[in-house]
Amino acid sequence: MRIYLLGFMGAGKSFWGKQLSQHFQAPFFDLDTYIIEQDGRSVNDIFTEEGEAYFRLLEKNALETLTEKYSELILATGGGTPCFHGNMDYMTANGKTVWLNPSIDVLIQRLEKEKDHRPLLKSLNNNQLKEFIEEKLNDRIKFYEKSLLQLNNDESLSVEVLIKMINHA
Ligand code: S3P
């Protein structure tokens, strides 16, 4: 089984992905980390030197490469992955899509501390960050909500519950 974890930056995709990987005995990948390893530059540098459109092509290629290579896979995608190049339909056709959707307040708390390595956030102050998250999430919901599973409140979420939900989905 392939499991694709989706959601906004800071949603906890890598955190849950690593735990699912242990349970399902399937390899875990973080799509950004894979892109960085392949390209040799940070996501920030790719955005600055090549622009976002180029990054989105690398992202699509990485998604397809990993999907073709592994029939068992837990993949933490980037926050924008489902929103470009038909990636959402591609993931739907190739595995189980799980949308991690914590509250905006939780996203803000996490992202205030981790803006710097994210090109879309690094120049924002904390007030701008809230506005950005609200707007971007609003634009992206139409992609995220195509997911097979939606998890809205990660404070009460446990790995056991997540596994049960995925197995029954
Ligand atoms: C992005 C999210 C990032 C990374 C890039 C763009 C986005 O991944 O792919 O900075 O468009 O939301 P994370 O969701 O892992 O931070």
Side-chain angles (χ1 to χ4, degrees):
M1 167 169 49
R2 298 189 192 92
I3 300 170
Y4 299 103
L5 297 168
L6 324 178
F8 207 77
M9 293 174 263
K13 294 161 291 193
S14 291
F15 174 81
W16 291 109
K18 286 176 192 160
Q19 302 201 36
L20 291 176
S21 164
Q22 285 189 349
H23 172 82
F24 287 107
Q25 296 286 296
F28 167 76
F29 291 94
D30 174 284
L31 200 56
D32 281 344
T33 306
Y34 181 79
I35 292 167
I36 293 165
E37 282 167 6
Q38 296 297 307
D39 186 85
R41 287 177 288 182
S42 68
V43 174
N44 264 338
D45 285 350
I46 299 172
F47 264 68
T48 309
E49 289 166 22
E50 314 286 354
E52 178 174 353
Y54 181 83
F55 174 78
R56 297 302 174 192
L57 287 177
L58 293 183
E59 186 177 46
K60 174 191 166 60
N61 288 339
L63 172 67
E64 293 183 356
T65 302
L66 288 170
T67 298
E68 282 161 23
K69 194 161 174 198
Y70 297 96
S71 56
E72 301 285 319
L73 166 78
I74 315 290
L75 184 63
T77 62
T81 311
C83 317
F84 293 86
H85 299 302
N87 293 339
M88 189 66 212
D89 290 342
Y90 181 81
M91 291 188 277
T92 304
N94 286 289
K96 292 190 176 184
T97 47
V98 180
W99 174 22
L100 301 172
N101 183 33
S103 68
I104 295 214
D105 285 344
V106 168
L107 292 177
I108 293 170
Q109 270 174 30
R110 291 182 189 159
L111 292 172
E112 274 177 354
K113 288 178 252 152
E114 300 178 19
K115 285 188 307 206
D116 293 349
H117 65 278
R118 291 182 162 102
L120 299 176
L121 307 181
K122 65 179 177 163
S123 62
L124 305 177
N125 67 35
N126 288 349
N127 288 334
Q128 292 169 320
L129 180 67
K130 182 171 193 289
E131 210 172 296
F132 177 87
I133 294 173
E134 284 169 349
E135 276 176 23
K136 211 47 160 189
L137 193 54
N138 199 34
D139 290 347
R140 289 179 169 181
I141 273 180
K142 58 180 177 293
F143 298 98
Y144 294 151
E145 71 187 6
K146 289 186 180 172
S147 297
L148 183 65
L149 275 178
Q150 175 177 343
L151 296 164
N152 285 331
N153 180 1
D154 71 0
E155 272 152 42
S156 60
L157 187 61
S158 68
V159 72
E160 291 78 17
V161 170
L162 186 52
I163 290 161
K164 264 195 199 141
M165 291 176 79
I166 291 171
N167 280 333
H168 288 98

